[in-house]
Each structure stands twice: as C-alpha cells, then as structure tokens.
Amino acid sequence: MKRAPWALLAVATVLPLVASTGTAVADTPPTTPAPTCAYTPAVPADNFKGIPVFDAKKAAQPYRATLRTSQGSITFQALTDKAPCTTFSFRFLAEHDYFDRSHCHRLTTQRIYVLQCGDPTGTGSGGPGYSFPDENLTGATYPAGTVAMANAGPNTNGSQFFFVWKDTKLSPAYTPFGRVTAGLDVLQKIAAGGEDDQNNPGDGFPTLPVNIRNVKISTR
C-alpha cells in the first residue's frame, strides 16, 4: 500500500527484475544464483537503527514474527524462501525494536481490506532510512492473512507493511512476505471496529487503537 496507499498504502515516501536467458552447457545442471539484496540509504530515517547488511545464511532461516498489540497478538510465518530481502529487513528492524511502541495508522474497509503498520511516525510517510527492491511479485495475490509491503512506487520498500484481513484484489505491486498463522480474528475484530474516514470513505485511522508493544522473532 502506498505507504501512503497504493498510493494506497504510504504517503509519499515509504505503500525491476530483469530476466535473462542463456545456453546451458551439456551435462551441466542449471544453477540459480543466490539472491543479492541491496539496501540503499534513503529518507526519511525515522527511529534510525542502521542499514542491514544482507546475510544469505541468516536470511534463509525460517522464522515466525509475533506482534503483541493492544488488541491482541498476531503471528505470521515469514516467507524467507520467496522474499529473502524483505524478510531479512523485517527481522533486522524487529530485532532492533524498531516497531516497538508504534501503532498501525491505517485501516481500509471498502474495496480493499487491510491494516497498515510499520511507520514509527504514525503519519503514513515515515521510513527506516533505507529502501530496497520489490520481490515475489510474479502471480502475487492477496487473500486474507497475507502480510505484504506498503510502498510509494516500484522498489521503494522500507518499514511499512500491511495485513490483509479479508480477501482483497490488488495489482501485484506489493511484495508478499508473510502468512498469518494466528491472530486473523484479532485483525477482523479491529476491522469490525471501523475507522474514521480521514483519508476517504472506508479509509482512515482505526477506531480501535492498534498499538504495537513489541515484535518477537522465533526460529522454533
């Protein structure tokens, strides 16, 4: 979602993959190059925790993230095999307490059905001080339980992300990087509480405040 929505999801900051072909040598199995991730300095740098240095071994390690919020806990399984750059960044920020004491600033209840979080300023225009490219977009869909990145255009990912609380149709422009395994009922409770329409009808600040107390990363 433009981090200020797509411009649905982030407001103005932080809501290309080029395929090449070659000829395989006889009897030599094709190889898939290890993913490389470039985290590029960017503004804004709110609650700056540094810029991650990609570690392919750590990035490949499966993990679950549990967000303990004022409305209940939400847990998702990170798609480390499909979106290693994104999941590595989220883990980096979580392990540096980036999301602690922030809140989810946007809820949409018409046409698209998401709860957007990850901006320490709570304005929809905040970011971590770096950006990184999109990934996992081929054939991307956004059923209920999807966790995906908000952005301000192609390859502008930062810290803002969204939970899909009801099946939603979106263009494949927002990197899916997680799947909710517990707490979908929490998201639906938040959605049922409504929002204040401050952006547009069906698009505003959640009526039920969603304060993120902490984010725990578990590898077991």
Side-chain angles (χ1 to χ4, degrees):
M1 302 256 68
K2 239 168 158 180
R3 276 172 337 195
W6 347 105
L8 234 156
L9 292 164
V11 186
T13 74
V14 202
L15 159 192
L17 298 177
V18 179
S20 61
T21 59
T23 302
V25 177
D27 300 324
T28 300
T31 59
T32 301
T36 58
C37 297
Y39 302 107
T40 304
V43 292
D46 303 299
N47 192 22
F48 186 63
K49 300 296 184 179
I51 297 177
V53 177
F54 186 71
D55 180 331
K57 183 177 180 180
K58 184 174 182 178
Q61 184 179 33
Y63 71 83
R64 293 185 306 280
T66 298
L67 288 76
R68 190 167 68 91
T69 84
S70 54
Q71 299 301 329
S73 294
I74 305 164
T75 298
F76 70 86
Q77 182 70 42
L79 304 179
T80 54
D81 58 331
K82 299 181 184 299
C85 303
T86 307
T87 53
F88 188 82
S89 172
F90 186 93
R91 180 172 178 170
F92 170 85
L93 293 173
E95 291 179 339
H96 286 81
D97 303 328
Y98 182 84
F99 302 113
D100 294 7
R101 296 173 298 282
S102 65
H103 63 264
C104 299
H105 62 276
R106 185 181 186 194
L107 174 68
T108 59
T109 58
Q110 295 181 25
R111 193 171 65 84
I112 58 172
Y113 309 102
V114 306
L115 176 69
Q116 189 171 336
C117 316
D119 176 3
T121 72
T123 64
S125 61
Y130 63 89
S131 63
F132 57 94
D134 303 322
E135 56 188 340
N136 194 32
L137 296 184
T138 301
T141 59
Y142 303 88
T146 299
V147 189
M149 293 300 295
N151 62 52
N155 305 310
T156 59
N157 300 292
S159 61
Q160 293 191 42
F161 62 95
F162 59 94
F163 293 105
V164 180
W165 58 268
K166 179 180 177 180
D167 291 355
T168 294
K169 291 185 178 180
L170 291 170
S171 62
Y174 310 98
T175 297
F177 71 96
R179 169 63 57 188
V180 172
T181 56
L184 185 59
D185 58 329
V186 174
L187 293 170
Q188 292 168 342
K189 177 186 73 171
I190 294 165
E195 41 69 43
D196 64 5
D197 290 351
Q198 66 175 255
N199 299 322
N200 286 298
D203 183 349
F205 193 85
T207 299
L208 296 176
V210 187
N211 302 311
I212 299 175
R213 293 167 177 161
N214 57 55
V215 180
K216 179 181 179 181
I217 300 297
S218 175
T219 57
R220 295 185 179 181

